[in-house]
Amino acid sequence: MVRGKTEMKRIENATSRQVTFSKRRNGLLKKAFELSVLCDAEVALIIFSPTSKLYEFSSSSIAKTIERYQSRVKEFGSNHKRDADSQQARGETYGLAKKIEQLEISKRKMLGEGIDVCSIEELHQLENQLERGLTRIRSKKYQLLREEIEKLKEEERNLIKENKELNEKLSGMGAIVVASSSSTLTSSEVNTDGNDNMEVETGLFIGPPEPRQSKKIHPQS
C-alpha cells in the first residue's frame, strides 16, 4: 500500500500532533547524528516542543557552535555590507563615467564636431543652447565692464578731491609767505629812516690827546 502525501498544515488533533512531533523529532535527531559522523560536520540541533520542552543535539558543544555561528554571521554581515558598498560604488562610478562621456559628446558638438549624425531637432536644441550660453556670457561681460567703469570713476573723484585739497594747502602757504615778506620790508624802511636823521661829527687832531667834545647836530625841523 502506497503512503499518501502528507498535507503540510497544522494538525488539529492534539494527540495526533504530539505523536507526529515525537516521531519526527527522533528522526531529525538521528539524521543530525548521522550527518555529523558520516560527513565530519559540526552539527548543533535545538528543538522546543509545543509545551516548551527543550531537546538538543550537538556533535561538540552547543555553546561553542552557537558562538561560532554568531561570529560567522557577524563576519558575513560585514562582508555583505562591504560587498554592497562596493557594488554601489561601482554603480556610481559607472554612472559618473556615462555622464562624463555625455558631457564630452555635448562639448564636441558645441565646438562643431561630430554633428554630421545629428538630426534637425538635435541641431535646433544645440543652437538654442549656444544662444543661451552667449546671452549669459555677454551679460556677465557687461556687468564686469560696468563695475570697472564705476571703479575708475571712483578713483577719478578721489584724485580730484586730493588735488583740490593740495591746491588749498598751497594757497594758504603762499598767503603766509607774502605776509611775512611785507612785514620784513616795513621794519627795514623804519630803520633806514632813523639812520638818515642821525649825524655824527668827527675831527682830526695832531698831538697829545685832548679832551674833546662831540657836537650833536639836531635835525632841522
Side-chain angles (χ1 to χ4, degrees), residues 10-218:
R10 182 177 182 273
I11 300 174
E12 298 296 334
N13 186 274
T15 303
S16 299
R17 186 167 62 246
Q18 182 62 36
V19 171
T20 302
F21 171 77
S22 298
K23 289 181 179 179
R24 292 183 178 268
R25 178 201 65 202
N26 293 334
L28 184 59
L29 292 172
K30 181 180 179 181
K31 291 294 184 183
F33 171 75
E34 293 175 352
L35 179 63
S36 65
V37 173
L38 296 175
C39 302
D40 193 22
E42 183 179 354
V43 179
L45 177 63
I46 299 175
I47 302 173
F48 285 97
S49 69
T51 58
S52 299
K53 187 176 181 179
L54 173 64
Y55 300 90
E56 65 181 27
F57 167 80
S58 175
S59 59
S60 59
S61 170
I62 285 286
K64 290 183 178 179
T65 303
I66 292 175
E67 183 179 355
R68 182 180 179 184
Y69 167 77
Q70 291 175 343
S71 176
R72 186 68 183 89
V73 167
K74 184 178 180 180
E75 180 182 354
F76 176 78
S78 300
N79 293 336
H80 180 71
K81 184 177 184 301
R82 185 163 50 249
D83 293 340
D85 293 341
S86 299
Q87 185 176 1
Q88 182 181 1
R90 286 194 295 270
E92 292 177 355
T93 302
Y94 177 76
L96 290 174
K98 293 295 293 182
K99 289 181 179 180
I100 292 174
E101 182 181 357
Q102 293 296 328
L103 289 173
E104 289 291 337
I105 294 174
S106 177
K107 177 183 175 181
R108 288 196 296 269
K109 287 181 179 180
M110 288 187 176
L111 294 175
E113 301 175 0
I115 60 176
D116 298 336
V117 295
C118 293
S119 63
I120 296 178
E121 182 65 23
E122 291 176 342
L123 291 174
H124 182 66
Q125 292 179 357
L126 181 61
E127 183 181 9
N128 290 336
Q129 291 177 359
L130 290 172
E131 289 178 353
R132 288 194 296 269
L134 286 173
T135 301
R136 289 193 293 268
I137 291 172
R138 292 192 183 102
S139 176
K140 184 62 178 180
K141 174 185 174 182
Y142 294 147
Q143 178 185 353
L144 293 176
L145 287 174
R146 287 193 297 269
E147 291 177 355
E148 188 67 21
I149 291 172
E150 289 297 327
K151 183 178 178 181
L152 292 174
K153 287 182 178 180
E154 181 66 21
E155 291 179 356
E156 181 184 7
R157 287 191 291 267
N158 292 333
L159 290 174
I160 292 174
K161 181 179 179 181
E162 291 177 0
N163 189 26
K164 182 179 178 181
E165 292 176 353
L166 288 174
N167 288 332
E168 291 176 353
K169 289 181 179 179
L170 290 174
S171 298
M173 292 176 64
I176 293 173
V177 171
V178 171
S180 177
S181 300
S182 300
S183 175
T184 303
L185 179 61
T186 303
S187 299
S188 300
E189 291 174 352
V190 170
N191 292 334
T192 303
D193 292 341
N195 292 333
D196 291 341
N197 294 330
M198 295 178 64
E199 294 182 0
V200 178
E201 180 183 2
T202 61
L204 177 60
F205 298 93
I206 299 174
E210 295 180 357
R212 60 181 181 273
Q213 295 179 353
S214 60
K215 184 178 181 182
K216 185 176 180 180
I217 302 175
H218 298 280

